[in-house]
Structure formats: structure tokens, C-alpha cells
Amino acid sequence: LSLSLSFETSFPFICGMYALAHAIAAALLLLSLPAAAQYCDNTRGFNATACDPSSATCCKFDWSPNGWGCCAMPRATCCGNGYTCCPEGTTCHDSGSGWGVQTACVNSQGQVIQPGQQICKLGPPQPRVPGIKNCLVIGDSVSIGYTPYLASALADVCAVQHSPWGGDGGACETAYGLQCLNYFLSSPNGTLFKPDLILFNWGLHDGPMSNGTSPGQNGNMSVYLPELTKLVARLKQTNAKLVFAHTSPMLCNALEDWVVVHLNEQAEPLMRANNIPTVSVHDEIVRKCGPVPQQSCFGAAECFCPHCASAGYEWLATQVLAPAVRAILADEK
């Protein structure tokens, strides 16, 4: 309950309308923990982490608001760095530290058998709100920035949450999305969330900021389209209305922004083939701020390079994304 109240404090516009509904839904979720899942500690509730031991392992995770995440391997070795895990029977050999740590998984013969996996971040921390549409934003740190403003702008038609729940780069690269999507689509305790609409994006961590491979942080642009294709196929299984947000620009750097444009050009035909509407986030920001390169926008230096101050996120949510989502929800009626 304390975590729920903390979240709602950051979203005061929802409190008055949905507090009772949240309490009722939370009570129901306490009774509906998936049979295979096991809580990671003595905390209980929809925003306490639970993992299915047949496919995952509870690990301490520094990006988790409650301190725990699921490593997507059974009986895994949880690395002591707070971010990664390795297969059963291996040890973690780290280089670097903090969120940028790189782990090699070493077997008993001293052989590196694979890179360490980033532990999966948690899904939406609030239960579904009855009596209204429920919308889920799955995306990068830019989407984390605009989600509070999007939730406020759509509060009359849709209860909006972000997944994954936590900081850093959100859903990060497509490989991490494939590894962890089932967690992003479930409450932290493993209960399937079932949103009515999913606004999703991958791309910012797939080449524009780094074309190297760092599990749970960045991937190579060469695998973007095939992995995004798999993500779309999995998202379609939710039966939610899907909306794809184009990757936002790297306004300060023309070469990095060229990569963004290239990824958006790959994503667009895929979305058309799957009848998924798109929102031209990149083009709308460039139209507002001016052609790349731009060193400032919305009165802030390095705005949308890739992040921005609150004014930029509020504009993006209220003037670009909310009208598009509102129109799509209206069409669904």
C-alpha cells in the first residue's frame, strides 16, 4: 500500500477519481497471484516482485523501486553488482561498475560462455482501473519523461501508466525488450495487466547513442528491424490496440539523428503491414525546434539530445501524443 500511495502522489490528478477503484483492484490482485510465481521477499501486493521459479530467479536489482527484479533464467546466479545475472553454475566476472557494468559468465573450467543478462525491470505498479480504458506506455527514458503529462492529458478517457516501472532507459534496446516483454506486460507480482491500448517505442537504444552491444542498455542497429518484428508479433497477442511512437530525435548531432531517421524508416513499413498507427514524434519535434543540429529548444540546452526539460515533455505529451491517442480511442468506440 505504501508504494501505491507513493506512486499516486506523483500523479495527483488520478487520486481523487481512482483511489477507491485502485484499492478494490489491489485487494483482488492480492488474491490472484499466479500459481507458479513466488514473492521475492516478505512484501506482498501487486507492486511486490514475484518470479516464476521454473523460468526466472529473484535477484536484487538496483533499477527496481522495491529492490527486486526477475532474472529471466531459472536457478540463475545473481551477480553482486545489482544489475546482471548469469546461468546456473557460472560465476560473474565484471568490468566497469554501476549501470554500465559488463558481466562475463564463466563456467567451472574458466571459460566465458555468454555475457551476463540485465535483470528484467518491473511492469506497471498500479492495477487496472475499472470503468475506464487502461493505457500502457512501453518505451525509453524519453517516454518516462512525458508519461506523467500524457496521463494528465488523457485522465478523462484513459488511465495511463508506464512500463517498465523504474528509471534508467526504460525498455532500452530491442533485445532487452524481447527478453523482458512478458514482465513489462504484467504487474510486478506476475499478474497479467491486459491494457486496452499500448503506446510503444524502441529505437533510441538501438544505435543512435551507441552502436555497440551492452545488454540492457544498447544494441546494434543491424538487428533492430528483425527484433522489432518479433516484439510487434508478441504485442499483437495482447489484443490491445497498438500505437507506435517514432523514436525522438537527437537534435544536437546530425549523425546520431541520421541513425534515428534510418530506424524510423525501417519501423514505418512494419507498422503499416500490421495496421498499427504511428505518431511522428521525431518530425513533430524537429518542426517545433528547427532542423538538426539544434543545441537548445524550449529554453533548455541540449533539449531532445535525447532528453529534455519538463516543458519539452509536456508539449510532446499534450500537443502531439495525447491528441493522437485520444483520436484512436474515439475510433475504437
Side-chain angles (χ1 to χ4, degrees), residues 102-173:
Q102 297 284 302
T103 299
C105 301
V106 179
N107 65 15
S108 58
Q109 286 77 46
Q111 300 166 322
V112 176
I113 63 168
Q114 69 172 65
Q117 274 190 9
Q118 182 91 183
I119 298 162
C120 288
K121 296 169 187 169
L122 305 179
Q126 295 285 351
R128 279 183 57 91
V129 178
I132 194 171
K133 296 287 187 182
N134 283 256
C135 297
L136 193 62
V137 178
I138 300 178
D140 54 35
S141 50
V142 172
S143 69
I144 293 174
Y146 67 64
T147 292
Y149 302 104
L150 185 64
S152 180
L154 295 175
D156 60 315
V157 294
C158 192
V160 177
Q161 297 191 66
H162 190 277
S163 186
W165 179 39
D168 186 37
C172 290
E173 80 277 19

